[in-house]
Amino acid sequence: MLKEKLPDKFGEYGGQYVPETLMPALIELEQAYLTFRDDPDFRAELQDLLKNYVGRPTPLTFARRLTEKLGGAKIYLKREDLAHTGAHKINNAIGQALLAERLGKQRIIAETGAGQHGVATATVCALMGLECVVYMGTVDMARQQPNVFRMKLLGATVVGVENGSKTLKDAINEAIRDWVTNISNTYYLLGSALGPHPYPTIVRDFQSVIGAESRRQIMELEGRLPDRIIACLGGGSNAIGIFSEFIPDESVDLIGVEAGGRGLENGAHAARFADPKMGRPGVLHGCYTYVLQDEDGQIAPTHSISAGLDYAAVGPEHSHLRKIERATYTFATDEEALAAFKTLSELEGIMPALESSHAVAEAIKVAPQMHPDEIIIINISGRGDKDLDTVNQFIQ
Amino acid sequence: MKRNEELHAVFKQGRAALMPYFTLGYPDMQTSLDIIEACAANGADLIELGIPFSDPLADGPTIQRSTQIALQNGATLAKCLAGLESLRRRGITIPLILMGYINPILSYGLEQFVSDAYSAGAHGFIIPDLPPDEAAPFQTLCKQSDLALIFLIAPNSPDERIKLVTEQSTGFVYLVSITGITGAREELPQDLQEFASRVRTFTDKPIAVGFGISTPEQARAVGEIADGVIIGSALIKAVTDTPDYARAAGNFVRNIKNAMELITGENT
C-alpha cells in the first residue's frame, strides 16, 4: 500500500519526465525514503557516519584577512572542503547509499562532472562493499584526472562517455540508460538536486545538514543570522543544502552563482538564469526547470572552467525560489573565478574548488558595498586540489 | 474517416500490423522521406516518424547516431512537420505517428505543436519521456484534435502502472519488450508472451511491441502475440551505408512483412 506522497513539484518546476521503465523505481525510492527518513535506526546510522566518517560538523571559519582586504561585510566560510573526500557531495552519497542498502540493491551507478560526486560515491561503495560504476564525460576526465585516479583506486569502474559534449549532461544520459537497462539490481545514486522527483527533494534533505550547521554555528559565533548566503550553482545541491534551512528567514539574502564561462555574449557559459535568450523552462533529465537550449529546443552546449558547474539545467527548486523571488541568481566568469581562487588561497590559506571559487568571486564583488556589521557566509563546497592543473595552465 | 478511426482500422485487419520507426532527417530530410515512402509502399501499416533530439535518453547507439546526424544536417521540429506534410502530398495515407522527446515540443509550444501536427497529417504521438502522470495538458489537446497520445508500458511495470497507462493511452498501448533502451537484440525476451497476456487482462486496446526486434523471425513471433510489431534500430542499420537507402528500406520492410504474413496472412 502506498504511504503518503511527497510533493513532486516545487511550484510549477520538477516532476517526473522519464521513460515508464523508471517510474516503478522512482515510486519505490520515494516510498523507501518516506519509510526511512524518520526511522531511528536509519537516522542513527546516518548521524554516526556523518560525524565519525565524514568529520562533521565542518567548521565555519571567519575569513579575517579577506574581510579586512575587502573592507565591508564580515565573511565566514562554511568549510565543506574539509568533509571527507573534499567536498559536500559525500553528505548525499552516504544518505542515498544507506537507502540503496535498505532497498537491497548491490550495484550503484552514478554520474560525475568534476569527479567529486564520483569520488564520494566510490568512497561510500568501498565503505559498504557495494559495486560502483561511475559515468563521466571524457572532456571532464581529461580536466579532472586526479579524481579519475582516485575513483579507480577506490575500486570503482569509471566509464568514459564520448557522446555529445562529453561532459556532465552526457554522463547523466548514459547513467540513465544504464539504470533503465539494469533496473532490477541497480540503484542510481544521483549527485545533485536535479533529475526526476524524488531526487531533488532527497538530495536537498541530505545536503540540508550544511545549512543546519551553519545556522547553529553563526548563532554561536555572532549571536545572529547572516545577512547573505552565497553558494555556487551547477545542479545546485550545495546551494540548496545551505539555503534550505534559511528559506523561512526573510532577512537572509540567498544568492546562487552560476558559471558565466567566457561571458554571456558568446554563449560559452552555463548561466541558465542569466541568459534570457538560451535559458528558459524546459525538460532535461526528467524534470521541468530552466534549461539552456537553442530555438528548436535542442539542449545547448555549455562551457565553464569548472566541470561541476558545466551543466545545461538547474535543480527545479532553484527555478522555484527564483520565481517566488526568495533567492537571487547571478554569475561569475571563468576569469573572476580564477582570480577568486588565487585571492582566497593567498589571503586565507584555503584553496577552494573552482566551483566554489564562483561563490567567492561574488562575495569579492559585493562585500565592499556592505556594512562592516553585516555578515556573509560563503559555502566553500569543495577543495581545489583537483583543479591545480587547470589553474596552472591558466596562470601560464 | 476520422483520424482515430483510421488508426483503429490498422489493428482490425486480422493480422498484426507492421509498424516501422524511422528518424526524420536521417541522413538528411529528403532521403528520410524517400525511405519512409519506400516503407509505406512495401507493406508498412503505420509508420513512426522520429523527431531528432540532442539527448535521447531512451535510445540506444543506433537511433542516437541517426538523430545526431539528422541534427547536424539541419533537422528541426518545424522541418519534421513540413516533412510529414510532404509525405501526405506524396500520397501516403497510412497512419503516421510522431515520436520524439518532450523538450523540443514544449519549446515549439504544446498547443501550436498539436495543431500543426494535425494539419500536417499526423495521427498521434509517442513521447518516451512523458509518462501519463505529466501528460494531462497534452492529452487534453490531443483529444480535442482527434489525435492519439500513446503511452508505454515496461516489463517491470506493476499492476497499478499498467492500469494507469492502459487507461490513459489512446490509439494503442506500446509495450517495451525489455527493460532497456532501443536497439536490435539477438533474442526476444523469454517472458514476452506472459507480459503481453498480463497487459491484456487490463485492456482491450490494441497492443504493439517494440524495442529489440530486428529479424523477420522475431517479427513473426511477436506478431503472434501482439497487434502491432515495431521495428526501429534494425531498419536504420539496414539502410545505413547502402548505395540506395530507399531501396534497402523497401526490401527490409518487405522481408519482414512476408515473414509476418506466413503466419497470419491466410486467415485474412
Side-chain angles (χ1 to χ4, degrees), chain A residues 26 50 76 81 86-88 92 117 126 250 258 264-266 281 323 350 352 363:
Chain A
L26 294 173
L50 289 178
Y76 283 88
D81 58 311
H88 73 291
N92 166 58
H117 174 58
E250 303 249 330
E258 299 186 288
L264 296 193
E265 311 75 38
N266 58 8
K323 174 129 191 172
I350 295 169

Side-chain angles (χ1 to χ4, degrees), chain A residues 177-217:
Chain A
R177 290 182 186 120
D178 178 316
W179 197 29
V180 171
T181 306
N182 300 295
I183 194 110
S184 62
N185 71 340
T186 297
Y187 181 92
Y188 182 17
L189 208 161
L190 187 52
S192 194
L194 49 83
H197 172 72
Y199 282 107
T201 299
I202 291 178
V203 176
R204 176 201 64 200
D205 290 357
F206 285 137
Q207 292 294 1
S208 66
V209 64
I210 306 172
E213 285 177 8
S214 301
R215 186 187 187 91
R216 200 171 64 238
Q217 290 165 323

Side-chain angles (χ1 to χ4, degrees), chain A residues 16 20 169 173 280 283 298, chain B residues 54-56 103 107 134 161:
Chain A
Q16 296 177 304
E20 184 61 34
K169 160 178 89 72
N173 285 340
R280 56 182 197 276
V283 171
Q298 307 297 337
Chain B
S54 54
D55 295 81
N103 195 61
S107 171
E134 304 291 354
R161 295 298 303 175

